[in-house]
Amino acid sequence: MEKRQELFAGKAKSVYATDDPDRLILHFRNDTSAFDGRRVEALERKGQVNNRFNAFIMGKLQEAGIPTHFESLLSDDECVVKNLEMIPVECVVRNIAAGSLVKTLGVEEGQTLTPPTFQLFLKNDELHDPMINESLAETFGWATPEQLAEMKALTFRVNEVLKALFEEGGMLLVDYKLEFGLFHGKIVLGDEFSPDGCRLWDAKTREKLDKDRFRQGLGNVIESYEEVGRRIGVDFG
Ligand code: ADP
Ligand code: UDP
């Protein structure tokens, strides 16, 4: 596999072409952003930690029959993935109220959500990722009703697999964001699953172990990501 030109540099990862049009290389950088990119800092080891963390989770999801873009680890901070045509919609499942749900609806943080709730957001930094719904996604052609139904079903299947995994490690999976894309017309989970894109609390103390440590200036951000990884069996090399 030959690494070719950089196609895109996002806020946390860079995407490279390869000699295979169906494959890309994702480079996990140390850059960490919050508040729509208004705050950016490089956190030492984050690229490596999230690359390994993501590989581990994608493996677990694949084992559970969820189609993912992940192919193989390439280096400490790079992996090979399927080249997806990304759908510009973020799928969020919440098991416990936190973050924007608390801010926009005025509900109490920490309240268990029964049943877990599902939201769609448009992936658009300039517009601050506004909340959308199936009707808007269909009308504006961001995704078809069939694609949306499949993305929703897969996002809830991920919840069953990962809630149990984190529970075994003494943690609560509060919420998370997934992105999907099309590979030869088929819906496949893309992007990453790491503590950058989910909320994880210690089950006993409810200590925050995810990117909220960065957002809220709590310190020990990467140490917490590593702690989460150790508790679920990620091999950090
Ligand atoms: P952001 O877009 O939020 O700045 P990143 O820095 O993580 O995020 O950038 C990674 C980019 O790569 C995102 O735009 C994401 O949608 C895209 N991406 C992730 N996985 C794939 C894939 N398998 N194929 C094509 N693009 C992908
Ligand atoms: N999330 C993300 N990227 C985004 C928006 C949200 O990874 O662009 C994740 C976030 O880390 C959390 C979940 O999705 O785990 C729900 O986020 P929320 O809507 O509460 O937004 P926030 O307040 O975190 O911006």
Side-chain angles (χ1 to χ4, degrees):
M1 168 93 32
E2 194 188 304
K3 184 173 172 180
R4 296 216 172 140
Q5 77 278 16
E6 183 180 82
L7 298 175
F8 176 75
K11 296 190 293 297
K13 300 191 291 301
S14 301
V15 181
Y16 293 86
T18 70
D19 53 337
D20 178 350
D22 273 346
R23 303 284 176 274
L24 296 173
I25 291 172
L26 288 188
H27 173 214
F28 287 73
R29 308 195 313 271
N30 288 340
D31 297 329
T32 313
S33 76
F35 314 117
D36 297 321
R38 276 178 285 123
R39 187 160 154 229
V40 183
E41 243 175 75
L43 299 180
E44 220 176 303
R45 299 197 308 288
K46 196 196 72 154
Q48 298 172 30
V49 168
N50 278 2
N51 187 38
R52 301 256 179 174
F53 196 106
N54 175 62
F56 179 85
I57 297 285
M58 291 282 168
K60 291 284 179 196
L61 297 177
Q62 199 83 45
E63 269 172 36
I66 293 157
T68 87
H69 68 156
F70 184 83
E71 297 261 306
S72 57
L73 278 171
L74 183 67
S75 70
D76 277 354
D77 56 7
E78 294 169 305
C79 67
V80 179
V81 297
K82 293 184 174 72
N83 183 1
L84 306 186
E85 187 191 321
M86 295 305 288
I87 293 172
V89 168
E90 301 184 335
C91 297
V92 170
V93 159
R94 301 174 188 272
N95 295 305
I96 298 177
S100 73
L101 191 77
V102 169
K103 267 189 232 121
T104 57
L105 302 185
V107 298
E108 196 190 330
E109 185 181 50
Q111 154 185 358
T112 299
L113 301 171
T114 314
T117 187
F118 177 78
Q119 289 176 292
L120 297 173
F121 295 90
L122 179 66
K123 193 173 160 68
N124 185 320
D125 282 338
E126 276 156 43
L127 299 177
H128 313 293
D129 293 351
M131 185 158 74
I132 57 165
N133 60 29
E134 275 95 341
S135 170
L136 288 165
E138 180 185 3
T139 294
F140 291 106
W142 295 317
T144 67
E146 295 73 26
Q147 289 166 348
L148 291 162
E150 188 158 357
M151 286 156 62
K152 182 175 179 178
L154 287 171
T155 305
F156 274 117
R157 273 175 67 196
V158 166
N159 200 35
E160 292 318 305
V161 177
L162 297 188
K163 229 172 33 174
L165 178 75
F166 289 115
E167 217 169 270
E168 280 170 35
M171 289 168 284
L172 299 169
L173 177 58
V174 172
D175 57 33
Y176 56 91
K177 178 266 299 177
L178 301 180
E179 290 180 29
F180 294 88
L182 295 171
F183 188 66
H184 299 297
K186 190 172 163 280
I187 292 277
V188 170
L189 175 63
D191 204 48
E192 71 178 277
F193 191 102
S194 76
D196 266 2
C198 68
R199 289 192 169 92
L200 291 160
W201 294 352
D202 180 87
K204 283 212 186 84
T205 64
R206 297 213 156 193
E207 186 188 4
K208 295 176 163 91
L209 300 170
D210 54 73
K211 194 168 154 184
D212 271 350
R213 299 199 70 84
F214 175 72
R215 294 189 187 98
Q216 299 174 7
L218 300 175
N220 291 328
V221 179
I222 302 310
E223 290 78 2
S224 294
Y225 289 19
E226 287 169 323
E227 166 69 14
V228 171
R230 272 193 297 273
R231 289 200 202 179
I232 58 171
V234 179
D235 176 9
F236 287 117

